[in-house]
């Protein structure tokens, strides 16, 4: 989420510092590794220190992000084997080196600048485009951030931007490079092609040895993710509203105070024709008076019925007050006299009228009761929260707490980090993303704080952790067999396509090749570009087309894994380059942006190389090898 904050503000730091400083992310999965040396400094960079506890937070966050991206729980050993711990450390050192240089240069950022940056971040703005304080606080809370920690991080990143930002300034793109990039992006090609499909009947039945080889060569494909058994309790106003008793006096009192909420204004379905002046409108009215249908006039004016029909409009929906008043003064089935509005002149036919209605209490009693119950429930949420917390403090079982409090409980035997059970069913979990993240940060026996909802709370209890493991071959044998067959089909299709192109050489025509391959239908695609994917040409086919010379044949595999296409590149065109054209400027701007990011990377690396870095080698060895402290 912190990355989203950066991206929304279009800062450079999200690209360089993928793991950002945060104050309060829960520790998950690697706590024991850091026991005994959280208080020690792992690295010093100039005058800046990186404590082991801070590195622990950063590594946790990086592992969590990778887990979300892959859908598989990343263990500490896996993080070590892929070099994640070293990457996190390197980024933190680079970040501290930039901070240290900023301190030496006496760079500072004022509170007003930080406040303006936060208020202008689209992530924190409401539907009106203005800063929404409640949204800001909710997003921080959902991501485990305090306001103070987030603002401190913003201040640091603004300081870094003031150092690295100038690397983007005054970038001049050579005209030759601009022209080359333009031609590469804007070249278009036409193609003719046909497809053929290989059959599963052509694939020999897999032997046990074949299946074993397929299984052992791709263990990740048959690895079950980590699952967790969990109990979840939720309370929102709607969960406890039905149990609240409301008497007749309360219903009467509420209805009297909110009677207007049960009033339905008059609504009309109308047909409106607009004219440039009264003369044209009056001429049209005469034709209608003579018996001509209003829709015939609309057709002559190039209008469709859907364009001029307004269903169930209230008078306040009219932007033009004069037209609205006239529309609501015209009888059902009648056509109004020409109406002179502020912007145009109109004729209106009233198709249907739904009269206004003020409902009585008896007519809407059930709705009123539900509303009163919901309002009372909102007032009782805090007392329900207090009762649940008191019961948890007494080690009461979740099932007993839920039964006594009258709130829903969900017991899930197994769920992975994406919300799927062992059968692959997507489970319905309240406040799903946040609750799953918390569940996979917790552990069996660990009492976790309630998760706050806009109008309620969620409690969860991790009851079992089933580690990620490769499923036995017998359990996944059919999946292995399917993968073996799919791989063989892809190989057969690719080999056949290669053979067709090789045999054709430079003499065979696409027509004769199509005949030889079952009288396949030849299709055409025109105006294809490298960076565009169409229904006719996916990314693989487009890549193959642009890798071939015009007038030659090439091939590509289709997405189903058993179909291939033989392609003839028929024509290539490139528009004339102009540095001052819209497209030319767009290409140049994109190139400058990329060059600017590269220069910022180079600048940060240079700052890092010149920094005075001291690593606590003994501490790093213990952390990176899981040696006892």
């Amino acid at each position: 989420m912190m990355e989203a904050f950066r991206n929304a503000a279009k800062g450079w730091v999200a690209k360089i510092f993928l793991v950002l400083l945060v104050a309060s992310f829960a520790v998950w999965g690697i706590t024991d590794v850091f026991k005994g040396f959280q208080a020690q400094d792992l690295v010093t960079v100039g005058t800046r220190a990186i404590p082991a506890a801070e590195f622990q937070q950063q590594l946790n966050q990086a592992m969590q992000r990778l887990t979300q991206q892959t859908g598989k729980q990343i263990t500490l050993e896996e993080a070590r084997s892929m070099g994640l711990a070293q990457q996190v450390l390197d980024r933190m050192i680079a970040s501290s080196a930039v901070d240290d240089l900023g301190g030496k240069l006496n760079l500072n950022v004022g509170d007003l600048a930080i406040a303006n940056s936060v208020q202008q971040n689209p992530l924190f703005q409401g539907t009106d485009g203005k800063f929404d304080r409640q949204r800001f606080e909710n997003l921080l809370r959902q991501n485990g951030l305090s306001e103070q920690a987030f603002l401190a991080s913003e201040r640091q990143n603004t300081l870094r931007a003031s150092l690295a930002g100038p690397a983007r300034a005054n970038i001049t793109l050579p005209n030759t490079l601009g022209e080359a990039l333009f031609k590469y992006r804007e070249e278009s090609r036409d193609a003719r092609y046909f497809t053929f499909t290989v059959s599963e009947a052509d694939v020999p039945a897999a032997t046990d040895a074949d299946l074993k080889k397929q299984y052992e060569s791709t263990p990740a494909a048959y690895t079950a993710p980590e699952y967790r058994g969990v109990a979840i309790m939720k309370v929102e106003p709607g969960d406890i509203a039905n149990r609240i008793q409301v008497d007749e006096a309360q219903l009467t009192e509420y209805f009297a105070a909110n009677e207007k909420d049960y009033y339905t204004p008059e609504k009309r379905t109308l047909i409106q024709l607009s004219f440039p002046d009264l003369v044209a409108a009056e001429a049209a009215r005469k034709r209608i008076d003579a018996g001509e249908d209003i829709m015939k006039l609309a057709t002559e004016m190039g209008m469709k019925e859907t364009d001029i029909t307004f269903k169930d409009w209230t008078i306040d929906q009219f932007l033009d007050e004069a037209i609205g008043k006239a529309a609501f003064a015209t009888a059902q089935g009648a056509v109004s006299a020409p109406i002179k509005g502020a912007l145009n002149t109109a004729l209106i036919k009233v198709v249907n009228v739904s009269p206004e209605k003020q409902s009585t209490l008896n007519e809407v009693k059930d709705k009123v009761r539900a509303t009163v119950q919901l309002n009372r429930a909102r007032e009782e949420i805090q007392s329900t929260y207090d009762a649940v917390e008191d019961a948890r403090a007494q080690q009461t079982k979740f099932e007993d707490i839920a039964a006594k409090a009258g709130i829903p409980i969900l017991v899930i035997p197994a769920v992975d980090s994406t919300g799927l059970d062992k059968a692959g069913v997507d489970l319905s979990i309240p406040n799903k993303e946040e609750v799953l993240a918390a569940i996979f940060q917790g552990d069996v026996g660990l009492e976790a704080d309630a998760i706050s909802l806009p109008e309620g709370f969620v409690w969860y209890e991790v009851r079992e952790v089933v580690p990620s493991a490769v499923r036995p071959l017998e359990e996944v044998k059919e999946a292995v067999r399917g993968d073996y067959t799919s791989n063989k089909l892809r190989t057969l299709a690719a080999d056949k396509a290669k053979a067709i192109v090789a045999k054709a050489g430079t003499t065979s025509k696409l027509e004769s090749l199509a005949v030889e391959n079952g009288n396949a239908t030849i299709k055409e695609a025109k105006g294809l570009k490298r960076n565009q994917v169409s229904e006719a040409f996916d990314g693989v086919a487009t890549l193959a087309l642009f890798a071939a010379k015009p007038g030659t044949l090439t091939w590509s595999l289709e997405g189903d894994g058993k179909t291939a296409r033989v392609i003839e590149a028929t024509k290539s065109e490139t528009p004339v380059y102009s540095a001052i054209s819209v497209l030319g400027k767009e290409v140049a701007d994109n190139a400058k942006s990329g060059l600017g990011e590269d220069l910022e990377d180079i600048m940060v690396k240079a700052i890092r190389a010149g920094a005075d870095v001291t690593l606590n080698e003994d501490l790093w060895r213990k952390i990176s090898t899981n040696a006892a402290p």
Side-chain angles (χ1 to χ4, degrees):
M1 191 64 188
M2 286 290 284
E3 289 182 75
F5 294 161
R6 303 282 174 260
N7 291 336
K10 299 199 181 296
W12 66 279
V13 186
K15 180 175 183 299
I16 302 172
F17 303 100
L18 296 178
V19 183
L20 299 163
L21 297 177
V22 294
S24 54
F25 276 94
V27 176
W28 56 288
I30 62 172
T31 306
D32 291 343
V33 179
F34 289 86
K35 282 183 179 177
F37 38 75
Q38 287 100 327
Q40 298 184 45
D41 289 338
L42 177 59
V43 185
T44 56
V45 183
T47 60
R48 310 276 167 161
I50 300 177
E54 188 174 309
F55 171 77
Q56 177 190 10
Q57 288 178 333
Q58 295 274 13
L59 182 56
N60 268 307
Q61 190 182 3
M63 290 169 63
Q64 184 182 25
R65 181 184 297 109
L66 196 56
T67 292
Q68 292 171 345
Q69 291 173 348
T70 62
K72 175 182 178 297
Q73 191 72 41
I74 302 300
T75 67
L76 181 58
E77 287 305 316
E78 289 172 328
R80 285 175 176 146
S81 66
M82 65 180 68
L84 186 62
Q86 185 65 56
Q87 293 171 24
V88 170
L89 180 64
D90 290 343
R91 284 193 290 265
M92 293 183 75
I93 291 174
S95 173
S96 295
V98 176
D99 288 343
D100 183 59
L101 179 59
K104 291 177 180 177
L105 296 175
N106 294 319
L107 296 178
N108 193 21
V109 180
D111 293 339
L112 182 60
I114 296 299
N116 288 338
S117 173
V118 172
Q119 289 177 350
Q120 292 170 11
N121 191 326
L123 274 178
F124 304 138
Q125 293 174 356
T127 55
D128 58 358
K130 296 180 180 179
F131 176 72
D132 186 329
R133 178 77 191 181
Q134 184 175 358
R135 178 177 175 81
F136 171 70
E137 292 175 349
N138 286 342
L139 282 171
L140 295 190
R141 183 171 60 252
Q142 290 169 14
N143 289 275
L145 293 166
S146 68
E147 181 175 338
Q148 293 76 14
F150 176 72
L151 294 179
S153 176
E154 286 293 286
R155 190 183 303 278
Q156 277 188 310
N157 288 302
T158 303
L159 282 171
R160 293 169 188 157
S162 68
L163 280 172
R168 287 179 174 269
N170 300 320
I171 293 177
T172 300
L173 189 72
N175 192 63
T176 303
L177 176 57
E179 183 175 3
L181 292 172
F182 175 85
K183 289 182 176 179
Y184 181 84
R185 196 185 83 163
E186 295 303 317
E187 178 189 1
S188 66
R189 292 196 176 190
D190 295 346
R192 300 167 70 230
Y193 64 96
F194 68 84
T195 61
F196 65 85
T197 302
V198 294
S199 170
E200 290 187 16
D202 298 327
V203 178
T207 65
D208 288 343
D210 292 331
L211 296 179
K212 186 172 185 294
K213 182 178 179 181
Q214 171 69 30
Y215 174 76
E216 292 178 347
S217 64
T218 55
Y222 314 111
T223 298
E226 177 180 320
Y227 289 102
R228 297 200 168 199
V230 64
I232 301 171
M233 292 187 297
K234 173 183 73 76
V235 61
E236 291 182 286
D239 298 322
I240 61 175
N242 287 339
R243 74 185 189 199
I244 295 175
Q245 299 299 315
V246 180
D247 58 33
E248 290 295 320
Q250 291 171 319
L251 294 179
T252 301
E253 180 184 358
Y254 180 85
F255 183 77
N258 299 276
E259 192 173 4
K260 65 180 184 300
D261 292 342
Y262 304 95
Y263 166 76
T264 303
E266 178 182 337
K267 296 180 180 180
R268 295 190 167 208
T269 297
L270 313 158
I271 293 175
Q272 177 180 321
L273 294 183
S274 298
F275 301 90
D277 51 46
L278 282 170
V279 174
E282 288 171 350
R285 175 57 194 268
K286 287 179 181 179
R287 291 174 62 182
I288 293 171
D289 289 343
E292 201 159 343
D293 184 70
I294 193 171
M295 288 310 304
K296 181 180 179 182
L297 273 70
T299 301
E300 290 177 4
M301 297 167 68
M303 300 178 186
K304 298 178 181 178
E305 185 174 358
T306 54
D307 298 331
I308 59 175
T309 302
F310 304 92
K311 184 175 177 59
D312 291 334
W313 269 38
T314 58
I315 193 169
D316 57 4
Q317 287 181 270
F318 284 87
L319 298 177
D320 193 314
E321 185 177 352
I323 294 178
K325 286 182 177 180
F328 273 72
T330 303
Q332 180 170 330
V335 177
S336 70
I339 310 163
K340 181 64 176 176
L343 299 177
N344 63 353
T345 301
L347 283 181
I348 287 183
K349 179 178 180 179
V350 179
V351 179
N352 184 61
V353 176
S354 299
E356 66 178 347
K357 177 178 175 56
Q358 174 60 62
S359 298
T360 65
L361 175 57
N362 284 336
E363 291 173 328
V364 294
K365 184 172 285 188
D366 289 343
K367 290 183 178 179
V368 173
R369 187 185 306 278
T371 301
V372 174
Q373 287 177 318
L374 193 61
N375 290 341
R376 289 270 304 278
R378 290 190 177 100
E379 297 171 0
E380 292 190 15
I381 283 292
Q382 187 59 47
S383 61
T384 302
Y385 169 82
D386 293 339
V388 171
E389 287 296 311
D390 289 344
R392 292 181 72 203
Q394 297 170 22
Q395 303 300 309
T396 306
K397 289 178 59 179
F398 263 38
E399 285 81 355
D400 294 338
I401 295 174
K404 185 175 181 180
I407 61 177
I409 182 170
L410 177 64
V411 179
I412 302 174
V415 62
D416 68 16
S417 61
T418 66
L420 302 179
D421 67 9
K422 288 187 175 182
V425 176
D426 193 1
L427 300 177
S428 177
I429 297 174
N431 210 40
K432 190 170 188 176
E433 184 175 341
E434 184 178 0
V435 170
L436 282 173
I439 288 170
F440 278 83
Q441 290 172 3
D443 206 345
V444 176
L446 179 65
E447 185 173 306
D449 293 336
I451 297 172
S452 295
L453 304 178
E455 287 192 307
F457 301 93
V458 173
W459 296 267
Y460 65 92
E461 179 180 74
V462 179
R463 294 182 169 178
E464 183 182 14
V465 175
V466 180
S468 173
V470 180
R471 296 182 174 98
L473 175 57
E474 289 304 315
E475 183 181 319
V476 294
K477 202 163 193 176
E478 289 310 306
V480 175
R481 192 185 309 278
D483 291 342
Y484 171 84
T485 301
S486 295
N487 290 340
K488 288 298 182 182
L489 284 172
R490 290 184 65 84
T491 301
L492 283 174
D495 288 346
K496 183 175 179 180
K498 291 177 187 176
I500 291 172
V501 172
K503 179 182 177 182
T506 59
T507 58
S508 297
K509 299 296 183 182
L510 195 67
E511 285 78 7
S512 60
L513 297 175
V515 170
E516 292 173 7
N517 286 274
N519 288 315
T521 301
I522 295 177
K523 300 179 181 179
E524 292 187 353
K526 296 186 177 183
L528 301 169
K529 291 187 176 182
R530 282 186 175 86
N531 59 347
Q532 294 178 353
V533 176
S534 66
E535 185 175 348
F537 261 73
D538 62 14
V540 176
T542 301
L543 186 64
L545 172 64
F546 278 86
K549 294 180 180 180
T552 63
L553 297 178
T554 186
W555 65 275
S556 71
L557 287 175
E558 304 286 88
D560 64 1
K562 58 184 179 181
T563 303
R565 70 172 60 190
V566 177
I567 306 166
E568 179 185 27
T570 59
K571 187 174 68 172
S572 172
E573 290 184 345
T574 304
V576 177
Y577 170 69
S578 171
I580 61 174
S581 67
V582 173
L583 286 177
K585 288 180 178 179
E586 182 181 313
V587 169
D589 289 343
N590 290 340
K592 288 179 182 179
S593 177
L595 288 170
E597 292 176 359
D598 291 341
L599 288 172
E600 286 177 4
D601 285 344
I602 293 170
M603 186 171 189
V604 169
K605 289 177 181 177
I607 294 172
R608 160 70 176 86
D612 182 13
V613 179
T614 302
L615 175 67
N616 185 330
E617 298 284 356
D618 184 54
L619 180 53
W620 174 246
R621 180 184 60 78
K622 291 173 181 176
I623 291 174
S624 59
T625 62
N626 201 16

